[in-house]
Amino acid sequence: MTIDFAQIFHQDSVLVIFTIIAIGYLLGNIKIARFEIGVTGGVLLCALLFGHYGYKIDPIVQSIGFTLFIYSVGWQAGPQILNVLRQDGPRYLVLTVFMAAGSFLLVLALAGLVDLPNTFAAGLMAGSLTSTPTLVGAQNAVSSGLVTPPQGSSADSLIESISVAYAITYIFGTVGLLLVVKMLPNLLRVDLVAAAEAFAKERGFSTKSNEKHVARPILRAYLVSNEAHQGKTISEILEATAGPHVSLKSIYRIKRGNEIITPQFETVIELGDKIAVFATPEEHAKARELYGLSGEVLDRDLTDAVVDVAEVVVTNPEVVGKPLSEVGLYTKFGCYLTEMTRSQIAMPLSPGTVVQRGDVMVVAGERNALDRMVAAVGAEDRKAVETDLLTFAAGIVFGLIIGQITVKLGNVDVGMGTAGGLLISGICVGFLRANRPTFGRMPAAARFILMELGLLLFMVGVGLNAGGGIVEAVGSVGPVLFLCGVVVTCLPLLAGYGFGRLALKMNPALLLGALTGAMTSTPALGIVQQAAKSTVPALGYAGTYALANVLLTLAGTLIMIM
C-alpha cells in the first residue's frame, strides 16, 4: 500500500494548517546563542515552504484568524489607553507617536527613493518592525475594499506582495532588533545595571529580577496573656505599641469562651482570649509581641481556615495611581501579593510600583481577608472555566459594522476598514471590562488561546500566500527590500533612543524597555531585562506597547490608501 502524503495534504486544509503550526512552534523555540525567531517567525517560515510547493487554504481561515487577533489586540489595549496619560504617561505617549510616525515617514521616504509600490512599503514596515498589526492593517485595507487594485492586478496579488515583503524583512527585523538592543548600551557606554538601580532607588523598586520569593502564610492560635492589654481595644493597643497609623493585620479571628469574634479596630481584648494569627513565620513573632500573646493553643474553631488565591482586577479609583506601599495589601488586609501583570507583562513587586487601572494582581490570603481586600481594590476575576462568548462575539460584530461605515469626502469614500473597527470595538470592550470585571468575563487562558491562535492562523495564511512568489521576489527586489528593512529596523530605534534621552530625559533602562514596546517586540524586552538585571524595563514596555499596537495598525492601512 502506497501512501501519498503530498496528495493527502493537498486534499486536507485542516491538516496543512495544524502541521504548519506544530512545526512552526518547534522552529520558533530553537535558540541559537540566546536568540530565537519566536513562534510567529517559525510558523511564517514553515508556511512559506508549504506555500512554495503550492499548498493553499480557504481564505476564510485567515479572515477568522485576522478577526480574532486584531480584536484581541484592541481588547488588551483598552485598559491601558488612558493609563499612559498618568505619571510617566505623557513621555510614553510622545515616544510612541515619535516611533510610529518616524518609522512611517522613513518607510515612505525609502519607498520613494527606490521606487517601491505601496504593497512592498507596507510589508517592509510590518516586517522590519516585526509588527503583525501593521501587516493586518495593510492587508485588510485591500480585502475590505479601501484600496482599489490597479488595472491588471487583483486584491489577491496585492495581498501576496504585502506578504512577500513582510517575509523578506521579518527575519532581520527579529534578529537584527535583538542584536541592536543588545549592543547599543555597550556602544554608547551606558551601564544599564546602574541605570536600573538608580531608577529603582528613585521610585522605591526592587533592583532584582521579578523572581517570586513569596513567604507562605500559616495560621496559628495563641492565648492573650499580657495584663496591660486587658480591656483595651485593638486600636488602642496598636497606637500604644506600634504608633498611630498601624493597620489591623495578621489577626484572623478571636475566640472568647465559645463565641467567635471577627476582629475590628474597636474590638476589646480580654485576658484569656484566644487569637488566631494568619501570617508568615517571621510575622508571627511580631504579632505575638504586639498583642501580648503567648502559649500556642490548638483550637479547630480558630485554625480551620480557607486559604485561597484570588486574581484581582484593579478598578477602584482610590487605589489607581498609588504605589503598592500605600495600597497596603498586607498591612491593611493581611494578604500577600505574589504577582502583578500589566498588558500581560509582569511588573516589579516593589513598594514603589504604581498601580494602574486594569492591572491584574494575584493575591494569596485567608478567604475572608481576601474578600475585604477585593472590595477595596477592585473585583475578583474568579477562576471560571467559561468565557462570556456573547460579549466577545457581540464586540466583534460591533467592530465589523463600524468598519463598514464610510464618510464621503468629495469623490473619495473614507472609512476605518475592518481592522480599525475591530480595534475600536476591542478597546471599548477592554476598557469596560477593566472597569466592570463582571462584564465580558474571559479567563487568562482563554485570552491567550484566542489571541495566539488568531495570530497563528493569520500567519499561516500570510506564509502560504507569499510562498508562491517569494523566490521570484527575492531574485528581483529581495536585496533592495532587505537593505531597506535593515534601515527601518535600526534607524528608528537609534533615533528613538536619542530622542528619549535628550528630549524626554528618560532613564536608559526604562527608555530601552519603552522602545521595545513601541516596536512591539517582547523578545527584545527580554534582552534588555537580562542586560539590566532588573524588571524596570518592563515598566517602559507596558507604557508604550498598547498604544503602539493601535498606531501601527493604522499605519499599515494608511500606507496602502496613500
Side-chain angles (χ1 to χ4, degrees):
M1 178 180 177
T2 302
I3 300 177
D4 188 343
F5 284 103
Q7 186 65 24
I8 292 174
F9 275 83
H10 276 293
Q11 293 175 348
D12 194 335
S13 294
V14 176
L15 181 60
V16 171
I17 292 168
F18 286 98
T19 299
I20 291 173
I21 291 175
I23 298 175
Y25 251 90
L26 292 175
L27 291 174
N29 289 318
I30 296 175
K31 286 188 177 182
I32 301 175
R34 294 185 180 178
F35 294 105
E36 58 183 25
I37 61 173
V39 173
T40 304
V43 170
L44 176 62
L45 286 176
C46 187
L48 286 170
L49 180 63
F50 273 72
H52 177 68
Y53 287 103
Y55 290 96
K56 299 291 182 184
I57 59 172
D58 193 316
I60 191 62
V61 175
Q62 186 176 351
S63 297
I64 291 173
F66 147 76
T67 301
L68 291 176
F69 172 70
I70 206 66
Y71 177 76
S72 297
V73 166
W75 194 98
Q76 182 173 288
Q80 301 301 328
I81 289 295
L82 295 181
N83 287 341
V84 298
L85 300 178
R86 299 185 179 97
Q87 199 181 14
D88 293 313
R91 293 179 179 179
Y92 295 144
L93 179 64
V94 171
L95 182 65
T96 306
V97 172
F98 176 86
M99 291 293 290
S103 301
F104 177 77
L105 294 174
L106 177 61
V107 167
L108 292 183
L110 288 172
L113 183 65
V114 298
D115 197 25
L116 292 177
N118 285 7
T119 52
F120 280 174
L124 167 64
M125 183 170 182
S128 301
L129 302 182
T130 64
S131 172
T132 308
T134 302
L135 177 66
V136 169
Q139 292 198 349
N140 177 252
V142 178
S143 59
S144 64
L146 286 177
V147 175
T148 303
Q151 192 154 5
S153 299
S154 65
D156 288 342
S157 66
L158 295 184
I159 289 174
E160 180 180 336
S161 295
I162 297 171
S163 301
V164 166
Y166 176 81
I168 291 173
T169 55
Y170 179 85
I171 299 301
F172 183 83
T174 302
V175 178
L177 178 59
L178 297 181
L179 287 172
V180 173
V181 165
K182 189 175 182 65
M183 295 168 57
L184 188 61
N186 294 329
L187 292 174
L188 298 177
R189 297 182 180 179
V190 174
D191 188 342
L192 278 189
V193 175
E197 288 177 349
F199 186 84
K201 185 177 181 181
E202 177 188 341
R203 299 293 177 89
F205 296 149
S206 167
T207 57
K208 297 180 180 179
S209 296
N210 202 34
E211 297 174 0
K212 301 181 183 62
H213 300 288
V214 181
R216 299 294 178 185
I218 56 176
L219 185 62
R220 295 286 186 269
Y222 304 97
L223 191 67
V224 175
S225 58
N226 190 335
E227 295 182 0
H229 293 344
Q230 168 66 32
K232 292 185 178 180
T233 64
I234 292 178
S235 179
E236 291 171 339
I237 293 172
L238 291 174
E239 287 182 9
T241 310
H245 300 297
V246 176
S247 53
L248 180 64
K249 67 178 181 180
S250 301
I251 297 182
Y252 168 52
R253 57 173 65 143
I254 300 171
K255 186 176 182 180
R256 182 173 299 151
N258 293 322
E259 181 186 5
I260 300 296
I261 301 172
T262 300
Q264 305 290 340
F265 279 112
E266 61 273 14
T267 301
V268 175
I269 298 295
E270 297 182 4
L271 283 176
D273 283 351
K274 297 175 183 177
I275 294 182
V277 176
F278 183 76
T280 64
E282 294 80 7
E283 290 291 336
H284 270 272
K286 296 178 182 178
R288 290 177 64 174
E289 181 180 353
L290 187 64
Y291 296 108
L293 308 177
S294 65
E296 186 174 346
V297 296
L298 297 176
D299 191 318
R300 296 194 63 177
D301 290 338
L302 291 174
T303 55
D304 280 356
V306 177
V307 179
D308 204 353
V309 177
E311 189 174 289
V312 185
V313 181
V314 177
T315 61
N316 191 339
E318 295 182 4
V319 173
V320 173
K322 289 185 177 180
L324 285 172
S325 58
E326 291 185 24
V327 177
L329 296 181
Y330 175 71
T331 56
K332 294 180 181 178
F333 308 104
C335 297
Y336 299 82
L337 180 64
T338 64
E339 183 180 8
M340 186 170 80
T341 59
R342 181 176 302 154
S343 293
Q344 299 182 355
I345 299 297
M347 294 289 101
L349 303 183
S350 302
T353 301
V354 175
V355 176
Q356 295 187 358
R357 184 182 301 276
D359 285 353
V360 179
M361 297 178 171
V362 179
V363 186
E366 187 276 325
R367 188 65 255 180
N368 293 330
L370 281 175
D371 290 340
R372 293 194 295 270
M373 182 275 299
V374 169
V377 172
E380 183 175 357
D381 192 2
R382 296 187 180 275
K383 294 180 179 179
V385 295
E386 70 274 4
T387 295
D388 184 357
L389 286 177
L390 172 60
T391 300
F392 188 82
I396 289 176
V397 170
F398 181 61
L400 293 173
I401 292 174
I402 292 177
Q404 300 300 315
I405 298 174
T406 58
V407 177
K408 202 166 190 66
L409 299 177
N411 295 323
V412 181
D413 291 330
V414 179
M416 291 178 292
T418 304
L422 287 169
L423 268 178
I424 290 176
S425 177
I427 288 170
C428 292
V429 174
F431 181 78
L432 290 173
R433 163 72 177 151
N435 287 272
R436 296 176 177 81
T438 54
F439 165 80
R441 186 178 304 283
M442 190 185 300
R447 292 197 299 270
F448 174 81
I449 191 64
L450 286 170
M451 189 168 182
E452 185 82 348
L453 183 60
L455 172 60
L456 296 184
L457 288 175
F458 179 76
M459 292 309 297
V460 168
V462 168
L464 292 176
N465 286 334
I470 189 72
V471 174
E472 180 183 348
V474 168
S476 57
V477 296
V480 174
L481 269 176
F482 182 82
L483 290 175
C484 289
V486 172
V487 174
V488 176
T489 297
C490 299
L491 191 56
L493 181 63
L494 297 174
Y497 184 85
F499 179 75
R501 291 289 291 143
L502 299 175
L504 302 180
K505 308 297 182 184
M506 293 181 69
N507 177 281
L510 189 73
L511 174 58
L512 278 175
L515 289 172
T516 62
M519 299 182 78
T520 65
S521 176
T522 305
L525 171 64
I527 294 291
V528 177
Q529 290 194 128
Q530 194 175 62
K533 298 180 181 178
S534 169
T535 53
V536 164
L539 296 168
Y541 183 93
T544 58
Y545 177 78
L547 183 59
N549 270 305
V550 176
L551 293 180
L552 291 174
T553 303
L554 298 177
T557 302
L558 282 175
I559 288 177
M560 291 305 301
I561 63 178
M562 289 184 68

